Amino acid sequence: MVWAWLKMAMAVAVVLLPGGFPVLLAYIAVRTLRARWLHARAEAQSHGAEASLRSVLASLHFKELVREARSAL
């Protein structure tokens, strides 16, 4: 429920605020990075290793950000 309100607020911010588009991009990037970080931590924990933020950032592609942007809106 909270995510639905946040999505609606972001849509309004993009339409009304001049700086809304960068805010939307930052939201999508943080959301994607958080999901990838949680997945990497769970996978590394199952293998008995540690996940590094550097490896997560290195594996992040623009294609995934575009896919997340489409699903967020």
Side-chain angles (χ1 to χ4, degrees):
M1 184 71 176
V2 173
W3 286 109
W5 282 102
L6 188 57
K7 284 181 188 180
M8 187 172 54
M10 293 301 285
V12 170
V14 168
V15 171
L16 297 179
L17 297 175
F21 188 68
V23 171
L24 178 67
L25 288 179
Y27 163 73
I28 292 167
V30 167
R31 180 178 160 178
T32 305
L33 183 62
R34 182 177 176 269
R36 297 279 297 200
W37 173 251
L38 292 175
H39 178 72
R41 269 187 36 199
E43 189 174 315
Q45 192 175 30
S46 69
H47 294 300
E50 273 192 49
S52 69
L53 185 59
R54 186 176 188 176
S55 66
V56 172
L57 286 173
S59 68
L60 193 62
H61 298 287
F62 185 71
K63 218 176 359 178
E64 294 169 5
L65 291 177
V66 171
R67 190 178 316 125
E68 282 290 322
R70 286 181 179 166
S71 69
L73 299 175

